[in-house]
Amino acid sequence: MPILNRAADLHGDVTAWRRDFHSNPELGFDVFRTAGRVQKLLESFGVDEVHTGIGKTGVVGVIHGRKRDSGKVIGLRADMDALPILEATGKPYASEVEGKMHACGHDGHTAMLLGAARYLSETRDFDGTAIVIFQPAEEDGGGAEVMVQEGLMDRFGIQQVYGLHNSPGMATDEFAIRAGSILASVDDFDLTITGRGGHAAMPHSTIDPIIVGAHFVTAVQALISRSIDPLKSGLVSITQFHAGDAHNVIPQTAKISGTIRSLDQDIRHLLKKRLKEIAEQTAATFGATAEYVELDSYPVTVNHEEQTKIAADIAAEIVGEDKVDRDTPPEMGAEDFSFMLLERPGAFIYLGNGDSAGLHHPEYDFNDEAIPTGISYWATLINRLMPLEK
């Protein structure tokens, strides 16, 4: 079954919604305009129930099929937030908000799921209930975790959940997926090393936090090669090192920040434990102290095997088997859809974005040519998972 005719018919409307979202980007949980627009559109489609304020600004729509005898409830999720990036696309619908832009395609994700919600509300050719989930704060803040904590899965009786993300470099009629770990965990950290400041000409009277920090950064490089199985993946990147503000002063403190990534939960926890130990023990060796603070983190995104096959089969039904990569390599980026996959079986799939700039780039733009494919994927997924007996 190729692209749904109705999905092609909706292309113009959905493109207009997408570009409106693109022109008006919002960050984190502060997606009030976007969420309000989503709510009004869902209500205009005749969605059975529209719930707001879940996960602070999340929106959830409930669409019942012609029958509900199966008792099945399937969740479909899109993210709504943008990024703090100055846009450089030059598009006529470019961001109207200085320093904010949709540089990851969440405007497209939201618009495609809205298109699917409209289609499903019009046709209702399924036996069960479709739950369309519009989530805030994917980029920063863990909006998926907050929605789950506020009872998303139990409140709506969701049994399986599916997510989708665009992928630059793949054609707009191509999909990619894999069972198991598809995206890494992320654990950011801040480290403050406190020594004893003093005159740069009298280093013997100081405890130099820069020296301590330098030893910490060097020691961390051995974590991957000497603490984890070489057949497993993990990384630690030091991304900030700040200390001092004068040429002739040894500072009192040094501040270091970085990120930990892994495709394995056990490796993730090992790296977090060892990094804290190295920080504290290195500082103690030099007579300094270390304050290690873990920041917001996302777990590994792990696709469930059965749901991965279902998602890949649906994608192949739409674009053909030759355009579905069923064993795409995992990536070290992170995704907070992982929190939903910890709660319910499901799968996260990539849809091509064509030859575009990369994600989080100031020249990135979601490719509207992907819209009919995305709508068809969502709609067909619901119809096949909850078939309506004729």
Side-chain angles (χ1 to χ4, degrees):
M1 180 178 178
I3 300 298
L4 298 172
N5 290 335
R6 184 58 176 144
D9 293 341
L10 290 171
H11 194 177
D13 287 347
V14 178
T15 297
W17 304 336
R18 200 283 293 185
R19 295 183 178 185
D20 175 64
F21 293 138
H22 190 92
S23 296
N24 298 276
E26 298 173 298
L27 304 182
F29 289 101
D30 297 329
V31 290
F32 298 103
R33 182 191 183 278
T34 306
R37 183 86 171 115
V38 167
Q39 176 188 354
K40 289 179 179 177
L41 284 167
L42 290 175
E43 290 171 347
S44 74
F45 302 159
V47 167
D48 296 287
E49 302 171 28
V50 180
H51 301 264
T52 61
I54 303 171
K56 300 183 181 179
T57 46
V59 182
V60 174
V62 178
I63 307 169
H64 298 308
R66 294 186 192 176
K67 292 183 179 180
R68 282 185 276 171
D69 297 342
S70 72
K72 292 182 179 179
V73 183
I74 307 298
L76 311 177
R77 172 270 203 173
D79 34 22
M80 298 187 289
D81 57 321
L83 284 157
I85 295 175
L86 182 64
E87 182 162 352
T89 64
K91 300 288 186 180
Y93 49 83
S95 172
E96 297 175 3
V97 185
E98 186 78 9
K100 299 178 185 179
M101 73 168 289
H102 273 289
C104 202
H106 296 186
D107 49 345
H109 303 165
T110 296
M112 288 190 295
L113 188 54
L114 283 168
R118 181 169 169 181
Y119 174 88
L120 293 169
S121 297
E122 291 173 351
T123 58
R124 299 183 185 267
D125 289 333
F126 57 96
D127 179 357
T129 301
I131 308 295
V132 288
I133 304 163
F134 297 88
Q135 177 211 308
E138 189 281 323
E139 296 291 355
D140 185 25
E145 181 182 26
V146 177
M147 293 188 84
V148 167
Q149 289 173 341
E150 293 185 6
L152 172 70
M153 299 301 175
D154 292 335
R155 178 175 173 180
F156 297 100
I158 297 171
Q159 299 162 350
Q160 298 180 39
V161 65
Y162 294 84
L164 177 152
H165 203 291
N166 76 93
S167 182
M170 288 170 46
T172 57
D173 61 348
E174 292 181 348
F175 287 90
I177 196 170
R178 69 177 285 112
S181 300
I182 188 169
L183 286 163
S185 60
V186 56
D187 295 281
D188 294 338
F189 66 89
D190 286 337
L191 171 63
T192 301
I193 299 169
T194 302
R196 183 169 63 243
H199 201 294
M202 293 178 280
H204 58 284
S205 65
T206 72
I207 297 175
D208 190 343
I210 296 177
I211 295 293
V212 179
H215 277 269
F216 167 77
V217 172
T218 300
V220 163
Q221 306 312 306
L223 259 181
I224 302 303
S225 64
R226 291 298 178 266
S227 291
I228 69 172
D229 185 333
L231 298 179
K232 295 185 178 180
S233 297
L235 68 82
V236 179
S237 290
I238 305 299
T239 55
Q240 298 181 58
F241 193 141
H242 305 286
D245 51 17
H247 290 86
N248 61 347
V249 177
I250 291 175
Q252 182 84 358
T253 61
K255 296 182 182 295
I256 298 173
S257 297
T259 188
I260 305 167
R261 308 267 171 146
S262 178
L263 292 165
D264 181 285
Q265 284 291 87
D266 291 337
I267 296 299
R268 175 195 182 197
H269 294 308
L270 172 64
L271 290 175
K272 290 169 65 176
K273 175 177 177 291
R274 292 291 295 124
L275 201 68
K276 185 174 187 292
E277 290 173 348
I278 290 172
E280 294 174 345
Q281 292 170 13
T282 302
T285 298
F286 289 89
T289 60
E291 180 186 4
Y292 181 89
V293 178
E294 292 184 3
L295 306 176
D296 291 339
S297 61
Y298 295 172
V300 181
T301 302
V302 181
N303 278 340
H304 297 250
E305 188 168 352
E306 179 182 348
Q307 284 69 34
T308 299
K309 183 179 185 306
I310 291 169
D313 288 346
I314 296 301
E317 186 175 337
I318 296 164
V319 299
E321 183 63 43
D322 61 324
K323 294 185 177 181
V324 179
D325 181 355
R326 292 175 179 259
D327 192 24
T328 193
E331 297 181 6
M332 297 307 282
E335 165 63 60
D336 78 344
F337 185 65
S338 54
F339 288 106
M340 296 190 182
L341 290 175
L342 286 176
E343 297 294 318
R344 296 292 187 273
F348 187 75
I349 197 168
Y350 297 120
L351 169 62
N353 198 62
D355 186 19
S356 70
L359 302 176
H360 294 212
H361 191 281
E363 294 181 358
Y364 168 87
D365 187 30
F366 180 82
N367 192 333
D368 293 321
E369 292 306 308
I371 286 173
T373 307
I375 295 174
S376 297
Y377 170 75
W378 284 136
T380 306
L381 186 65
I382 291 298
N383 289 339
R384 293 293 179 269
L385 280 173
M386 300 184 286
L388 185 67
E389 293 186 10
K390 302 300 182 181

